[in-house]
Amino acid sequence: MNTNLSAEEVPRGTFDGLRKHWTSDLLSGFLVFLIALPLCLGIALACGYPAMAGIFTAIIGGILSAFLSNSELTIKGPAAGLIVIAIGCVTDFGFTAGRDPAADMQAYRLALGVGVVAGVIQILFGVFRSGILGGFFPTAAVHGLLASIGVIIIAKQFPITMGLGSEGAPLELLARIPQFIADMNPVVGLIGIISLVIMFGHPLIRIPLLSKIPAPMVVLLITVPLGLYFEVNQQHTYSFAGRDYSLGPHLLVNVPANMFSALTFPDFSGVATATGFQYIVLFSLIGSLESLLSAKAVDEIDPWRRKTNHDRDLLAIGVGNTLAAFVGGLPMISEIVRSRANIDNGAKTRFANMFHGLCLLVFVALAPALINQIPLAALGAMLVFTGFRLASPREFVHMYQVGREQLIVFVATIVGVLATDLLSGIAIGIAVKALIHLVNRAPVASLFRLRVDIDRNDKDGVRVSVKDSAVFSTWIGLQKKLQSVRDQPRVVLDLSETSLVDHTVMERLNEMQQEFREHDSELVVEGLGSHRKLSDHPTAARVSRARG
């Protein structure tokens, strides 16, 4: 793709852009819809919400954000990364996993009330330009948080893939995987195993025509007929190896024939409780952080290198979440997997997101009976694969390559989340990161206060000199200082007087150098010759040889 185009030639999500690019955006939106449909259903059920909740969110996120956000290629909708928060919220509000439908409905409505308030907070994040706050969290801790969510998703969804219940703590469920395989419902387990093979094997397909069909759609094309063959939609029992097993509609997705009958309105009575407060913080904070990270990642692979206004995107996410929760939807974020597919399918503007939402709307309005034939085991397998991608062994290898201290923070965050909860886990990761900085001789005060001088009369241009250390906790301050002189043709960042420059800062300085180039300026980083790299990775942390 040619990135050396004039500003007028770069595709934009305007009405003129819609007129010019509607064919490519419609095609991409349709292909993303094929991926989104099963994932939205599976994520909703994994959250303890009705299946339609995920569809409502994707429809609202797709249509609304196309007009509110300037993020051209992100797909808005429910994401696996929020499953742990959502299921925790309904569980703490009394969710019984079907044993008491009245209690489950009340827990769902209380969670919707929390979702509305969290959405309003995200709107305020956007209005008060809080998108920059995503830069506070250390990279290793954020990756550890996402990996821990992946582990929890695998633990919770694998037994469902085998046709069994998923009650228990994540570590306990992981330890019971061999038992789940031994005790599986054979027909359901067969559907689940075939689905897993397809999801994990699809990336290895080298036949162009087959590789273009999204893996979730391949799963549905095979498992829905398989479910019909075994008459899973009919309540009955069968015998296998001397044991009796049950099949029936409870093993399939259940959505109403009229989508409007699934509209559910929130109950705000739980908002002022300790549980409500906890999940308002989690939904608004973790959801915003995930969305910012996804938007940044999509910007990096945008063929035209267009940049998302993160404050405006947060505003769009907040408005979308508020409206979705009002009608019974899940929380939404900018979703990275569907966004990647959107780019690969040739999308040009954010109207591809709108078309994906419209396709979902039309399908659930006209063909709910088809949705009701989807095996839950197939959706569980898709989520197991999603969890594996979040907690991939490659993440551990990557963190080790960046630096052993990054791997320690990464693993500490994972263990912290699995042993406690999301907020405590990421707090543990941040605390471990700070402790490692102290071990590397960073002054205690420098973890909380940035010392920096700006010399506008330096012969080499504007010189920004940092004292003591440059670390994740003071990055926002350093970022603001650098942005304040971005209008200069050349800015020199002098780090020679620092005792430590951590990986988070090194990584974000690389991003900022690109940002300067896009504004016809130059950011030069100097003074690291006297520092020792903690690994061979380009963005590894640096420790002063004199002090470290």
Side-chain angles (χ1 to χ4, degrees), residues 155-213:
K156 291 288 187 180
Q157 293 301 310
F158 187 82
I160 293 173
T161 306
M162 299 292 106
L164 304 170
S166 59
E167 293 80 13
L171 293 178
E172 174 193 350
L173 292 172
L174 288 173
R176 290 168 56 195
I177 283 180
Q179 180 185 340
F180 293 140
I181 296 174
D183 295 341
M184 70 178 177
N185 184 318
V187 167
V188 180
L190 175 65
I191 292 173
I193 290 169
I194 289 174
S195 302
L196 286 172
V197 170
I198 293 171
M199 293 301 299
F200 281 91
H202 188 270
L204 305 177
I205 295 176
R206 293 294 178 261
I207 303 172
L209 184 62
L210 291 179
S211 64
K212 288 183 181 297
I213 305 174

Side-chain angles (χ1 to χ4, degrees), residues 450-487:
L450 177 70
R451 288 184 59 205
V452 61
D453 295 328
I454 298 180
D455 182 2
R456 294 179 179 272
N457 299 313
D458 188 85
K459 58 182 176 59
D460 293 325
V462 175
R463 179 172 292 269
V464 180
S465 302
V466 181
K467 320 290 183 183
D468 296 333
S469 67
V471 296
F472 72 95
S473 52
T474 57
W475 165 251
I476 292 176
L478 179 57
Q479 181 183 16
K480 288 182 175 179
K481 294 289 187 184
L482 292 173
Q483 287 177 336
S484 70
V485 294
R486 196 173 56 192
D487 58 332

